[in-house]
Amino acid sequence: MLPGSIQISGETLSGAEIRDICESLRENSVRLLSLRGCQLSERDFGHVCRAAAESRSLAQLNLNLGIVSNINRVKQLAEALKTNRSVQSLFLHGSPLTDAGLALLNPALSIHPSLVALDLGDCMLGDEGINLICGLLPPDGAKSGLKELTLSANPGVTSKGWGRLAIAVAHSSQLRVLNLDYNPLGDQVAGMLAVAVASSRTLEVLDLEGTGLTNQSAQTLLDMVENYPTALRTLILAENNISPELQQQISDLLSEGEEEEETEAREVTAREKNPWICQNNSSSQMVLMTSGLGDSLLAETEM
């Protein structure tokens, strides 16, 4: 039987329910475990962590909205992740980690062999926490690292911390999605991020909703999109002091780039799948006639 999912939201979990969850984890019958906003005792949280450590099927673990509520729980989660080898996505949005908690969790995150998506939004992080996160974005040619990172609503991070993150993003060969919405970034940080996007070969989605940007930022981002080849496909600028005209110009340019890339990808795939080559006897030139469609890959994660 294929692994399924357990998704519970905002409930107070009984000991019996925790036992059922733990049994399913140990039987490798759970691929997604979501307990967002649930209430469970310290003892039961420990049981879940130990069962998650043993699971070989668990790919997505959602503990959003305050589940990891104290340092003791951070330590138990860290121990679980040191043993677990299957978790690909970890969601801790709304957990009061602080930099101290992330420092305890970071060693397990940095050595985990499968982790590619991490949500640390609204986790009360500061510059030291950002420094640790930069270590999860290894430079080009180094070990594997995160492909999706969410750092929404961490107002304690200063421009210095965001600057360090921008440098890490510029040199990361793997990060595809970066969510920084609802942080007080301002135009200065947006300028640093524009440079990072222009340097990155992989970043496809950047969320800057509600980050205190103005038309100055938008013009910088527009110039970047217009003049530099990037992998960027989605740039979210809602709830900023940016004119609709500038937002539309940026959106149009990104759409044009995506359409051109899709056309090129289809042509390349067609040549690989079904080439018909006709050579003119009087010339060394060849005419290549092709047909076919490219494939696309969609990845979904639960918030």
Side-chain angles (χ1 to χ4, degrees), residues 5 47 57 59 63 73-74 92 164 213-214 244 259 267 289:
S5 65
H47 289 325
S57 64
L63 300 175
R73 292 193 177 193
V74 173
L92 300 175
R164 293 202 59 169
L213 308 188
T214 70
E259 289 171 1
E267 291 174 352
M289 302 175 63

Side-chain angles (χ1 to χ4, degrees), residues 49-71:
C49 286
R50 286 188 287 275
E54 298 176 24
S55 176
R56 298 187 304 275
S57 64
L58 184 62
Q60 187 174 125
L61 179 58
N62 188 326
L63 300 175
N64 284 349
L65 305 182
I67 302 296
V68 186
S69 56
N70 55 54
I71 289 296

Side-chain angles (χ1 to χ4, degrees), residues 5-298:
S5 65
I6 298 175
Q7 301 184 63
I8 309 171
S9 181
E11 300 289 336
T12 298
L13 301 178
S14 66
E17 289 172 317
I18 293 296
R19 284 192 293 273
D20 289 342
I21 291 171
C22 293
E23 183 178 349
S24 297
L25 287 169
R26 291 192 172 96
E27 291 176 350
N28 299 308
S29 61
V30 179
R31 180 172 175 80
L32 185 159
L33 175 61
S34 176
L35 303 177
R36 51 194 307 276
C38 289
Q39 301 292 322
L40 61 163
S41 69
E42 293 295 316
R43 180 179 178 183
D44 285 342
F45 182 84
H47 289 325
V48 171
C49 286
R50 286 188 287 275
E54 298 176 24
S55 176
R56 298 187 304 275
S57 64
L58 184 62
Q60 187 174 125
L61 179 58
N62 188 326
L63 300 175
N64 284 349
L65 305 182
I67 302 296
V68 186
S69 56
N70 55 54
I71 289 296
N72 184 53
R73 292 193 177 193
V74 173
K75 291 178 180 178
Q76 293 184 84
L77 178 59
E79 287 301 314
L81 291 173
K82 286 178 182 177
T83 303
N84 176 277
R85 291 291 178 268
S86 62
V87 170
Q88 299 171 23
S89 302
L90 177 63
F91 300 95
L92 300 175
H93 201 110
S95 302
L97 288 182
T98 72
D99 290 351
L102 184 57
L104 293 173
L105 191 60
N106 186 67
L109 299 177
S110 61
I111 64 170
H112 199 284
S114 302
L115 189 68
V116 293
L118 179 63
D119 186 343
L120 296 176
D122 194 18
C123 284
M124 302 173 64
L125 302 180
D127 289 353
E128 289 304 314
I130 295 299
N131 290 344
L132 295 172
I133 290 166
C134 289
L136 304 177
L137 304 174
D140 190 7
K143 63 178 182 177
S144 61
L146 296 177
K147 294 182 179 179
E148 179 171 343
L149 175 61
T150 296
L151 293 170
S152 315
N154 280 294
V157 181
T158 70
S159 58
K160 180 180 178 181
W162 295 127
R164 293 202 59 169
L165 180 69
I167 293 171
V169 171
H171 293 284
S172 171
S173 61
Q174 297 154 75
L175 192 67
R176 294 173 56 187
V177 178
L178 178 61
N179 299 312
L180 299 178
D181 47 311
Y182 298 106
N183 285 298
L185 303 182
D187 292 331
Q188 180 184 6
V189 173
M192 292 186 279
L193 291 171
V195 174
V197 172
S199 301
S200 172
R201 295 180 295 172
T202 59
L203 191 66
E204 298 176 2
V205 178
L206 177 60
D207 188 350
L208 299 177
E209 180 175 358
T211 51
L213 308 188
T214 70
N215 284 343
Q216 177 183 331
S217 298
Q219 189 61 57
T220 300
L221 293 164
L222 177 62
D223 292 343
M224 178 268 296
V225 172
E226 192 169 23
N227 297 307
Y228 295 90
T230 74
L232 195 66
R233 295 293 170 262
T234 302
L235 177 59
I236 302 172
L237 295 172
E239 296 192 34
N240 285 296
N241 190 23
I242 297 174
S243 70
E245 292 78 15
L246 275 174
Q247 292 196 48
Q248 189 61 51
Q249 283 182 270
I250 294 170
S251 178
D252 290 345
L253 283 171
L254 291 175
S255 297
E256 288 175 9
E258 187 171 8
E259 289 171 1
E260 291 173 1
E261 185 172 282
E262 288 175 354
T263 299
E264 182 179 348
R266 283 196 294 270
E267 291 174 352
V268 170
T269 304
R271 289 196 295 271
E272 292 175 347
K273 288 185 176 181
N274 191 17
W276 292 82
I277 303 175
C278 303
Q279 184 167 353
N280 189 319
N281 292 333
S282 61
S283 171
S284 62
Q285 292 181 334
M286 291 188 296
V287 178
L288 185 62
M289 302 175 63
T290 64
S291 64
L293 296 174
D295 299 321
S296 64
L297 177 63
L298 298 178

